[in-house]
Amino acid sequence: MNSQTKLISRSGEPFIAGRSGSLSAQIVADVRDALTEKRLKSGDPIGTEKDLAARYGVSRIVARDALRTLQALGIAEIRMGKGGGARVARGNPRLFAEALAVQLDLTGVTAAEVMDAQRAIETLAAELAAEHATPADHARLKRLLAEAEAIIDDGDAYTRSCRDFHLAIAEASHNRVLVVQFISLNHISWPSHNRTLTPEVSRRVLAVHKELAALIEMRDPAGARKLMDDHVKMIRARRVSERDHAHGDGCC
């Protein structure tokens, strides 16, 4: 049984035109089910408009709508011309981190909700980083600390450096789910310009970051988690207060 034959077998159920939902939505659901059930994988062919129309007994307009939806969802890659058609895309969840952030913002999530989620993600990331970080990860953290120290008097550059340091810890966890969640939340929460940043705050943050890097290198998961938890709680308190006063400023 080839991948396209597998595609139309939805857990043993036949495709029935006219059942609940639009016909194109049924095709989209079929492809997603095939991915979930491991009947399809990245690179497998989904087919052309003509293929899908014939396979499901629908018009090419319906097939085209299904392919466009699959492409918009990041499930399908579509090539035009001879030898073209749709294939299952390569996974790249970072492409959707910003889109998720926009949807959360449109939903009206509060600063407190965002920071509570960020606290959960960052504390676990710090713990896992202490368990899984490689020598390359340790070197990256040290390089970022040195860069931050060199630009500590430049508020905007220092704020970006702090964001990069937190991201580096998430990536040192070697958990891609945590990394994407971190990136998505930081589209909402991390400031491009931090109006409340003072030299004293900058120095205090740098000291905490240095201690975090040391705990991660020492392979101290509990210590790294505890320090990150305290750090993000401090960030949360400031950010919620600032958002309540409509300043929109952030952490580091």
Side-chain angles (χ1 to χ4, degrees), residues 1 5 15 22 30 44 48 50-51 59 79 93 95 104 120 122 127 140 154 162 213-214 220 228 230 245 247:
M1 184 182 292
T5 304
F15 181 86
S22 70
D30 191 0
D44 280 349
T48 63
K50 183 178 179 180
D51 294 333
S59 71
R79 296 179 182 176
L95 290 176
L104 290 172
E122 293 215 58
E127 178 182 342
R140 181 185 179 195
D154 182 337
C162 289
D220 184 351
M228 181 64 87
D230 290 342
H245 290 85
H247 292 311

Side-chain angles (χ1 to χ4, degrees), residues 39 61 72 94 131 147 250:
R39 290 184 280 114
I61 293 175
R94 289 193 184 207
E131 294 176 353
E147 291 173 359

Side-chain angles (χ1 to χ4, degrees), residues 57-239:
V58 297
S59 71
R60 290 187 66 163
I61 293 175
V62 170
R64 183 180 308 132
D65 184 53
L67 288 176
R68 286 175 175 170
T69 300
L70 290 167
Q71 185 178 38
L73 291 170
I75 294 172
E77 294 175 344
I78 299 176
R79 296 179 182 176
M80 307 302 292
K82 186 177 181 180
R87 290 184 176 273
V88 179
R90 294 182 181 276
N92 187 1
R94 289 193 184 207
L95 290 176
F96 295 90
E98 185 173 0
L100 175 58
V102 170
Q103 291 303 314
L104 290 172
D105 223 5
L106 291 172
T107 303
V109 294
T110 65
E113 288 177 289
V114 172
M115 291 310 304
D116 285 342
Q118 190 163 326
R119 178 183 168 195
I121 291 165
E122 293 215 58
T123 53
L124 180 56
E127 178 182 342
L128 292 177
E131 294 176 353
H132 304 304
T134 65
D137 293 321
H138 297 312
R140 181 185 179 195
L141 292 175
K142 289 176 181 177
R143 185 182 71 252
L144 287 169
L145 288 170
E147 291 173 359
E149 195 156 19
I151 57 173
I152 198 166
D153 294 326
D154 182 337
D156 290 351
Y158 184 72
T159 296
R160 291 191 296 271
S161 176
C162 289
R163 177 201 60 205
D164 292 344
F165 180 82
H166 281 249
L167 174 59
I169 289 179
E171 291 179 333
S173 75
H174 294 275
N175 184 302
R176 290 170 291 181
V177 178
L178 289 178
V179 172
V180 172
Q181 290 177 314
F182 174 88
I183 292 171
S184 182
L185 290 178
N186 274 273
H187 278 298
I188 305 173
S189 65
W190 211 277
S192 57
H193 176 65
N194 190 342
R195 283 168 251 166
T196 65
L197 189 67
T198 66
E200 180 184 357
V201 171
S202 296
R203 289 192 295 271
R204 188 163 65 244
V205 167
L206 183 60
V208 172
H209 286 183
K210 286 181 176 180
E211 189 176 353
L212 274 168
L215 289 168
I216 289 169
E217 189 166 12
M218 290 165 55
R219 302 287 185 195
D220 184 351
R225 183 184 183 105
K226 175 65 168 61
L227 183 57
M228 181 64 87
D229 191 40
D230 290 342
H231 184 46
V232 179
K233 280 193 288 189
M234 178 275 293
I235 298 170
R236 182 191 188 281
R238 292 182 61 210
R239 194 158 305 168

